[in-house]
């Protein structure tokens, strides 16, 4: 089976995971590193040092993570023997000296140079503290090997906090040492978006305002807050999804061709898109941005609680679980083309996709032949699930006359039977170990995204006249979001399977 990742392996290294007793480490990070290991993408000499406040021995930590590895008759002892653990009090400077000593011991014992990847799988309030304390222990210096930080989202919870965090990090680290991870950018279909655009002569010439009528991006979740009500009630869909995942996808859809496929060139083009986002005027926020919150409902005969009934959620909460918005990009390529994005919890299905809708032909030759003039050609790029591409175009029905219907032409990654798609964290971890920041956010782009979003959040806080609409759990959100799209056009209602079309789909 072909495994489409880089053929080179990183230098020998130690991955230090802060927050190693947490859920992300067990569900995503350790399984991702394990897959890289068994597929021979890691050097012979590497180690994982987990660290958190919990008191554990090496063997106890290994025992805890074994259950999150693929079920086999025998756990891979070679992999488990590369895992170590050390407890730490994040607030105490001396603890980082002790960490440095442990790393030095492992360097000598395992014949590994001082190449360290520090992964902050911790609450956001530690994103500035841990790097600062590492620097006090001189664990940021690259005189004897690389030192890199991976920081999980959210990168700040406002424009000011994002700026503050950037200032704090850049006091001790170079920008090329900081990797702000967005797991959406690690998905194969997101990366293939650039290839679709820039490697195909049938798409790039028409990828502009002259031929595209609108762009639509949907990221829907069928689950609710799933026990994370206390966290989510201070976050909401705008901070949790729009500011990072969805705007990053907008950047890749809308960017100009980079000079080379290289981290700085690509991220520079994404930054130019963010700088071109047309600010939404305060008086238009209520019309261009729709927020909603799911209410109690019955899904497949099962009673489902509303958001305000979830554990940890304020019974009078105004936190949005759904956002739909319309905006424009003020540049030569996209002037006048509306971009529509939406995301929400407790929607009918879990799906993320990009819809490029092309303008209809200028002369409606076949209007009498049954062609709905509102039916335009579409290119759908499916990010998850059922990853692939779907092209919708018009064809004549067999028989007399010119009765026209829309048909589908699709490609599914699953059709590549001999290719295993790497999980997002596998790809991103390996990229960081190789020093490739292409799929990571840069500090200035994070601030630019916040600069666009912050006025909306401020308006929601300060203007009580802006409503938050209820929508029954299991539906496609507030019907008011349909008003964002002018005329008879509507959102695309995707299904689990890419080429299934319908008004309402369930998993």
């Amino acid at each position: 089976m072909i495994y489409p990742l880089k053929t080179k392996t990183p230098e020998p290294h130690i991955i230090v995971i802060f927050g190693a007793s947490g859920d992300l480490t067990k569900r995503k990070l350790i399984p991702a590193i394990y897959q890289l290991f068994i597929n021979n993408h890691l050097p012979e000499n590497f180690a994982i040092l987990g660290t958190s406040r919990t008191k554990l021995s090496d063997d106890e930590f290994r025992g805890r993570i074994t259950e999150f590895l693929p079920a086999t008759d025998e756990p891979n002892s070679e992999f488990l023997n590369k895992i170590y653990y050390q407890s730490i009090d994040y607030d105490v400077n001396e603890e980082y000296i002790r960490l440095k000593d442990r790393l030095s011991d492992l360097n000598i014992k395992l014949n590994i140079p001082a190449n360290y990847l520090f992964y902050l799988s911790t609450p956001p309030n530690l994103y500035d503290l841990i790097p600062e304390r590492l620097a006090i222990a001189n664990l940021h210096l690259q005189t004897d090997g690389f030192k890199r930080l991976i920081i999980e989202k959210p990168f700040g919870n406002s424009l000011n906090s994002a700026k503050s965090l950037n200032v704090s990090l850049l006091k001790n680290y170079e920008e090329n040492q900081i990797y702000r991870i967005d797991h959406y950018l690690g998905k194969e279909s997101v990366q293939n978006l650039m290839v679709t655009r820039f490697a195909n002569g049938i798409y790039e010439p028409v990828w502009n305002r002259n031929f595209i009528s609108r762009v639509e991006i949907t990221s829907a979740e069928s689950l609710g807050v799933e026990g994370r009500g206390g966290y989510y009630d201070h976050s909401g869909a705008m901070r949790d999804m729009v500011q990072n995942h969805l705007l990053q996808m907008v950047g890749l859809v809308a960017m100009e061709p980079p000079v080379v496929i290289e981290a700085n060139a690509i991220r520079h083009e994404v930054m130019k898109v963010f700088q071109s986002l047309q600010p939404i005027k305060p008086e238009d926020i209520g019309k261009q941005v729709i927020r909603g919150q799911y209410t109690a409902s019955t899904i497949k005969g099962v009673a489902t609680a509303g958001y305000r009934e979830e554990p940890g959620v304020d019974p009078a909460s105004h936190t949005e679980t759904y956002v739909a918005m319309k905006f424009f990009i003020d540049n030569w390529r996209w002037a006048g083309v509306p971009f529509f994005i939406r995301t929400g919890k407790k929607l009918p299905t879990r799906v993320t996709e990009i819809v490029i809708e092309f303008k209809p032909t200028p002369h409606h030759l076949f209007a009498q032949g049954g062609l709905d003039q509102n039916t335009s050609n579409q290119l759908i790029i499916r990010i998850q699930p059922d990853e692939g591409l779907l092209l919708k175009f018009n064809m004549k029905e067999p028989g007399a006359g010119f009765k026209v219907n829309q048909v589908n032409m699709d490609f599914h990654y699953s059709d590549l039977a001999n290719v295993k798609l790497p999980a997002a964290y596998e790809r991103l971890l390996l990229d960081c170990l190789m020093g490739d920041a292409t799929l990571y956010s840069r500090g200035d782009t994070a601030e630019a995204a916040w600069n666009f979003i912050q006025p909306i959040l401020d308006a929601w806080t300060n203007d009580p006249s802006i409503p938050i609409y209820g929508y029954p759990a299991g539906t496609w959100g507030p019907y008011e979001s349909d008003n964002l799209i002018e005329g008879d056009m509507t959102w695309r209602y995707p299904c689990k399977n890419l080429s299934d079309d319908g008004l309402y789909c369930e998993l």
Side-chain angles (χ1 to χ4, degrees), residues 253-442:
V253 169
M255 73 180 190
E256 296 298 318
V259 177
V260 291
I261 296 298
E262 181 270 332
N264 279 333
I266 292 171
R267 298 199 293 181
H268 184 57
E269 297 302 335
V270 171
M271 178 61 179
K272 288 198 290 187
V273 172
F274 288 177
Q275 289 173 325
S276 302
L277 292 171
Q278 184 184 97
I280 301 176
K281 297 176 182 177
E283 61 269 24
D284 292 333
I285 287 173
K287 293 177 285 187
Q288 285 186 232
V289 185
I290 302 298
R291 58 175 175 163
Q293 189 183 92
Y294 66 83
T295 59
S297 179
T298 300
I299 302 176
K300 297 181 182 178
V302 178
T304 302
Y307 175 72
R308 294 181 181 182
E309 288 85 56
E310 298 278 12
V313 173
D314 182 350
S317 173
H318 272 64
T319 298
E320 75 288 353
T321 62
Y322 175 97
V323 173
M325 61 191 300
K326 172 185 179 180
F327 59 91
F328 295 89
I329 297 174
D330 283 339
N331 62 20
W332 189 274
R333 182 182 291 265
W334 296 110
V337 178
F339 279 68
F340 300 92
I341 60 178
R342 63 174 172 172
T343 183
K345 291 188 175 293
K346 285 291 184 185
L347 301 184
T349 190
R350 172 182 171 266
V351 62
T352 300
E353 67 177 24
I354 300 163
V355 179
I356 309 297
E357 184 162 299
F358 296 96
K359 290 182 177 179
T361 53
H363 182 47
H364 301 157
L365 272 176
F366 302 105
Q368 302 303 315
L371 176 64
D372 180 356
Q373 293 309 313
N374 289 321
T375 303
S376 300
N377 302 141
Q378 292 181 334
L379 174 67
I380 293 102
I381 301 161
R382 176 62 69 88
I383 309 302
Q384 65 179 11
D386 195 22
E387 295 88 344
L389 297 175
L390 173 65
L391 181 62
K392 303 177 78 68
F393 58 99
N394 300 312
M395 290 289 287
K396 176 187 173 299
E397 282 191 4
F402 285 92
K403 184 169 175 58
V404 180
N405 264 332
Q406 194 170 68
V407 298
N408 293 338
M409 185 164 63
D410 53 7
F411 159 75
H412 305 254
Y413 275 106
S414 58
D415 293 339
L416 302 175
N418 292 323
V419 175
K420 177 188 182 300
L421 294 183
Y425 277 97
E426 293 173 50
R427 172 64 188 267
L428 292 170
L429 279 167
L430 184 59
D431 280 359
C432 181
L433 290 168
M434 298 291 292
D436 182 354
T438 302
L439 300 175
Y440 287 84
S441 299
R442 204 167 61 190

Side-chain angles (χ1 to χ4, degrees), residues 475-487:
T475 65
W476 276 108
Y479 71 85
E480 286 83 0
S481 63
D482 292 337
N483 297 332
L484 293 174
I485 303 176
E486 296 176 355

Side-chain angles (χ1 to χ4, degrees), residues 71-265:
T72 57
D73 294 335
E74 195 72 35
N76 191 306
S77 57
E78 186 182 352
F79 178 74
L80 291 176
N81 287 337
K82 294 180 179 293
I83 297 175
Y84 301 86
Y85 184 84
Q86 178 161 321
S87 61
I88 189 171
D89 185 337
Y90 298 125
D91 301 310
V92 179
N93 288 347
E94 289 74 17
E95 295 283 86
Y96 295 84
I97 302 297
R98 197 165 63 88
L99 176 65
K100 183 179 182 180
D101 292 341
R102 181 72 187 280
L103 288 170
S104 297
D105 291 343
L106 290 174
N107 293 144
I108 296 168
K109 174 184 175 182
L110 304 174
N111 191 27
I112 297 175
N115 292 322
Y116 304 142
L117 168 57
F118 300 107
Y119 199 114
L120 274 61
S121 177
T122 65
N125 63 329
L126 296 175
Y127 288 173
D128 55 353
L129 184 146
I130 290 174
E132 182 181 2
R133 301 300 168 88
L134 288 171
I136 290 173
N138 289 327
L139 280 169
H140 66 309
L141 300 177
Q142 302 197 91
T143 51
D144 54 351
F146 69 71
K147 310 295 186 294
R148 296 171 187 151
L149 295 169
I150 291 185
I151 299 176
E152 275 282 343
K153 76 173 185 73
F155 191 80
N157 60 11
S158 66
L159 175 60
N160 287 338
S161 61
K163 286 180 175 179
S164 237
L165 182 52
N166 271 332
V167 168
S168 173
L169 292 171
L170 292 172
K171 280 192 303 186
N172 299 304
Y173 300 85
E174 300 294 328
E175 176 63 39
N176 63 15
Q177 291 179 267
I178 305 167
Y179 290 72
R180 300 165 187 83
I181 194 167
D182 182 340
H183 69 271
Y184 267 53
L185 299 187
K187 296 182 185 296
E188 191 72 22
S189 40
V190 172
Q191 299 156 41
N192 194 50
L193 172 59
M194 286 189 286
V195 177
T196 301
R197 280 193 59 186
F198 302 130
N200 292 290
I202 61 173
Y203 292 130
E204 179 51 29
V206 298
W207 207 270
N208 57 59
R209 60 184 169 81
N210 296 319
F211 298 96
I212 291 176
S213 62
R214 64 174 175 145
V215 176
E216 179 184 317
I217 302 177
T218 293
S219 183
E221 299 179 69
S222 57
L223 298 176
V225 293
E226 304 304 305
R228 296 167 63 242
Y231 160 78
Y232 194 86
D233 209 37
H234 293 91
S235 173
M238 184 68 84
R239 290 183 172 93
D240 191 48
M241 293 293 294
V242 176
Q243 184 275 332
N244 38 69
H245 302 324
L246 269 68
L247 284 185
Q248 285 294 332
M249 286 193 282
V250 168
L252 294 178
V253 169
M255 73 180 190
E256 296 298 318
V259 177
V260 291
I261 296 298
E262 181 270 332
N264 279 333

